C-alpha cells in the first residue's frame, strides 16, 4: 500500500508530505543527477531545459556553471515548482535560472530556444510520450541534444511502487526518438542507470 502511494507521489508530489517526497527524490536521484550533469557537458553559454525539476537540485548545479547561458525547468507539481523557486532565488535574480509549472506534452517555452533538454526519471510519467517528444523537438535548436535518463524496464519491474509507471526498454526509447526524427542516438550506461541521447 505504501509503495503504491509513494509511486503516485513520485509522479506529482502534493499535500503535506510533499517536502518529504522532495527530500526522498533528491537523495535517491543524487547519483543519476550528477552523472546526467556530466553527460550534459555544460558550457557557460548553454541554454538548458530540465523536464521535471523536482526540488531544483540538478537545475541549481547546472545554473551555477553558467555565465551567459540559462537553466530553465518545468515541473507538473506546483509544490515542486514552489520548492525550486525558493532554492534558485539568487540564481534567478542573476538571470541564470527560470522555473515554470508545466508538462512535457506542453512545454511553456518558444521554438528553438534550447541547446540541450534533459529529463531524469520522468519518462515513466509522460501521459503522451509522442506529444512530449514533439515538444522537445520543437524547443531544441538545430543540432540540439535531448538526454533521457532512466532505470530500464527490467530493473523497475522489481518494485511495487512502479506498478502505475510506464516502463521502457532501451530499444523502446530508441524507437520513440527515431519516430520523431531524432538522429545520432546513443545509449550511455552507468551502474543501474541508462541515459539515451539524441540530436535534433
Amino acid at each position: 500500500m505504501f509503495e503504491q502511494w509513494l509511486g503516485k507521489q513520485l509522479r506529482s508530489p502534493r499535500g503535506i508530505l510533499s517536502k518529504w517526497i522532495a527530500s526522498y527524490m533528491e537523495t535517491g536521484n543524487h547519483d543519476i543527477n550528477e552523472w546526467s550533469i556530466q553527460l550534459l557537458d555544460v558550457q557557460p553559454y548553454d541554454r538548458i531545459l530540465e523536464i521535471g525539476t523536482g526540488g531544483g537540485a540538478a537545475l541549481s548545479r547546472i545554473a551555477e556553471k553558467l555565465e551567459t547561458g540559462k537553466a530553465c525547468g518545468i515541473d507538473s507539481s506546483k509544490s515542486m515548482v514552489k520548492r525550486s523557486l525558493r532554492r534558485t532565488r539568487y540564481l534567478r535574480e542573476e538571470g541564470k535560472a527560470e522555473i515554470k509549472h508545466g508538462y512535457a506534452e506542453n512545454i511553456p517555452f518558444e521554438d528553438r530556444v534550447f541547446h540541450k533538454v534533459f529529463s531524469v526519471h520522468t519518462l515513466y510519467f509522460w501521459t503522451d510520450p509522442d506529444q512530449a517528444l514533439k515538444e522537445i523537438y520543437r524547443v531544441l535548436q538545430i543540432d540540439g541534444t535531448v538526454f533521457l535518463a532512466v532505470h530500464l524496464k527490467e530493473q523497475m519491474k522489481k518494485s511495487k511502487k512502479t506498478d502505475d509507471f510506464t516502463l521502457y526498454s532501451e530499444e523502446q526509447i530508441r524507437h520513440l526518438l527515431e519516430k520523431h526524427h531524432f538522429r545520432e542516438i546513443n545509449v550511455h550506461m552507468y551502474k543501474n542507470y541508462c541515459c539515451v541521447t539524441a540530436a535534433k
Side-chain angles (χ1 to χ4, degrees):
M1 197 74 173
F2 171 76
E3 291 282 325
Q4 291 172 332
W5 171 84
L6 180 58
K8 288 178 181 177
Q9 283 290 319
L10 292 175
R11 179 183 292 272
S12 185
R14 59 173 61 86
I16 58 173
L17 291 178
S18 60
K19 286 184 181 179
W20 179 82
I21 292 293
S23 297
Y24 173 89
M25 289 193 297
E26 193 169 314
T27 301
N29 290 344
H30 179 267
D31 281 359
I32 192 170
N33 277 339
E34 288 299 306
W35 177 57
S36 297
I37 291 168
Q38 288 179 28
L39 288 176
L40 282 169
D41 186 26
V42 179
Q43 302 300 309
Y45 55 81
D46 273 343
R47 291 184 58 87
I48 298 173
L49 173 67
E50 180 181 16
I51 297 174
T53 56
L59 187 129
S60 296
R61 291 268 290 107
I62 290 165
E64 287 166 354
K65 295 174 178 285
L66 300 174
E67 293 175 9
T68 58
K70 193 170 190 178
C72 299
I74 61 171
D75 202 286
S76 63
S77 165
K78 291 181 179 178
S79 296
M80 293 299 99
V81 170
K82 288 179 183 176
R83 188 177 176 92
S84 293
L85 286 170
R86 286 194 296 270
R87 184 174 204 147
T88 59
R89 189 172 118 186
Y90 76 96
L91 291 163
R92 290 186 292 110
E93 288 171 352
E94 292 175 358
K96 293 182 179 181
E98 183 176 0
I99 314 285
K100 294 184 179 185
H101 178 249
Y103 301 84
E105 296 83 2
N106 186 19
I107 297 173
F109 288 97
E110 295 184 5
D111 297 357
R112 298 185 295 279
V113 292
F114 296 107
H115 299 101
K116 298 161 185 174
V117 175
F118 81 105
S119 171
V120 175
H121 286 326
T122 70
L123 180 57
Y124 332 113
F125 308 130
W126 295 356
T127 56
D128 187 342
D130 288 310
Q131 178 59 26
L133 286 170
K134 285 178 185 176
E135 281 289 277
I136 290 170
Y137 196 91
R138 177 182 67 78
V139 299
L140 273 173
Q141 294 185 358
I142 301 299
D143 296 325
T145 308
V146 59
F147 301 73
L148 300 176
V150 297
H151 277 308
L152 293 175
K153 191 174 189 176
E154 290 307 310
Q155 299 161 350
M156 295 289 277
K157 280 164 62 175
K158 298 172 184 175
S159 173
K160 288 185 179 179
K161 70 174 177 279
T162 65
D163 285 352
D164 293 330
F165 292 19
T166 302
L167 305 180
Y168 294 88
S169 67
E170 170 192 324
E171 283 308 310
Q172 285 172 315
I173 298 171
R174 182 187 290 275
H175 175 71
L176 276 171
L177 289 164
E178 288 173 346
K179 180 180 176 183
H180 293 283
H181 312 296
F182 286 93
R183 57 192 173 79
E184 297 177 21
I185 299 171
N186 290 292
V187 177
H188 309 266
M189 300 297 297
Y190 172 69
K191 295 183 178 179
N192 294 323
Y193 312 132
C194 171
C195 184
V196 184
T197 65
K200 176 173 177 177

